[in-house]
Amino acid sequence: MIQLLKPQIEGGRPLMQVLNDRKSTRDFSKEVLTIRVLSDMLWAAFGVNRPETGQRTAPSASNRQEIEIYVSTAEGLYLYDAEDHALQPVLAGDLRSKTGVQPFVGSAPVNLVYVADFSRMTDATDEDKVFYSAADTGFISQNVYLYCASEGLATVVRGLVNRPALARAMKLRSEQKIMLAQSVGYPKK
Ligand SMILES: Cc1cc2nc3c(=O)[nH]c(=O)nc-3n(C[C@H](O)[C@H](O)[C@H](O)COP(=O)(O)O)c2cc1C
């Protein structure tokens, strides 16, 4: 397990400036993200912001918290554990290029993969499982966009993913559905 650093919640630039700078970028430098950046980004994405209830920085339908964030780096695949604010190792090896179909994907230092765990949504209809998981992923992705805009990082959310191939590579269970991926890194100079 990789323990992440306590988030720096006093950091960041003013919201209106961040919104002004929010954009998709597809050119990444090879520079790896520091543990500080990874820690703050994942907390911003979907960390616990109310420890007394376990609720999170992004909303989720009926507070099901069904979206899992997998983190693919050159070293391996990890699962973000929000409760412990840690990365749980899932697989060794570099799966980055498998998280998308566009050439830049393999060169981004981090690719996030948003996976809905439908086994946490057994009370929802099949249509609602897809609809709410997609909506809930959007909030998380936007949190990452805003964090990246605040910190001068490059990011793009991606729907162009070979889901069956990636699910096999990630060894996902059948109830786990890949929603979107998101590349994050430093912009190419
Ligand atoms: C649901 C969704 C899926 C997307 N899929 C991709 C993708 O697969 N590849 C990509 O390069 N950009 C993708 N994008 C990024 C959009 O192309 C981008 O947001 C749009 O062109 C507007 O640019 P902006 O984000 O800089 O405002 C996606 C965006 C969304 C919201």
Side-chain angles (χ1 to χ4, degrees), residues 22-26 100-102 104-105 138 141 145 155-161 163 179-181:
R22 199 241 26 111
K23 63 181 177 189
S24 297
T25 308
R26 297 172 184 82
V101 298
Q102 294 162 284
F104 65 82
V105 172
S141 170
Y145 264 108
T155 192
V156 60
V157 72
R158 297 181 285 100
L160 292 173
V161 176
R163 290 179 177 77
M179 307 306 292
L180 293 169

Side-chain angles (χ1 to χ4, degrees), residues 12-79:
R13 294 193 296 123
L15 177 64
M16 296 303 268
Q17 289 174 29
V18 167
L19 287 167
N20 193 51
D21 291 343
R22 199 241 26 111
K23 63 181 177 189
S24 297
T25 308
R26 297 172 184 82
D27 290 312
F28 297 90
S29 131
K30 287 199 186 333
E31 196 182 336
V32 297
L33 298 187
T34 61
I35 187 81
R36 173 84 269 158
V37 166
L38 203 53
S39 303
D40 288 353
M41 178 185 70
L42 288 166
W43 182 81
F46 202 32
V48 174
N49 66 357
R50 285 153 290 167
E52 59 285 2
T53 58
Q55 281 166 287
R56 318 279 281 268
T57 57
S60 64
S62 302
N63 191 30
R64 289 194 193 91
Q65 305 184 1
E66 77 282 2
I67 304 301
E68 302 173 316
I69 306 179
Y70 283 85
V71 180
S72 173
T73 72
E75 281 73 45
L77 181 70
Y78 306 85
L79 177 61

Side-chain angles (χ1 to χ4, degrees), residues 77-130:
L77 181 70
Y78 306 85
L79 177 61
Y80 176 52
D81 176 340
E83 197 183 331
D84 291 338
H85 195 50
L87 287 177
Q88 306 287 357
V90 177
L91 293 170
D94 189 354
L95 292 186
R96 288 176 299 164
S97 60
K98 295 202 165 106
T99 69
V101 298
Q102 294 162 284
F104 65 82
V105 172
S107 65
V110 165
N111 283 290
L112 306 175
V113 183
Y114 302 121
V115 174
D117 183 354
F118 279 10
S119 69
R120 290 191 210 162
M121 308 181 88
T122 48
D123 56 325
T125 63
D126 286 350
E127 194 182 354
D128 280 352
K129 281 178 192 153
V130 175

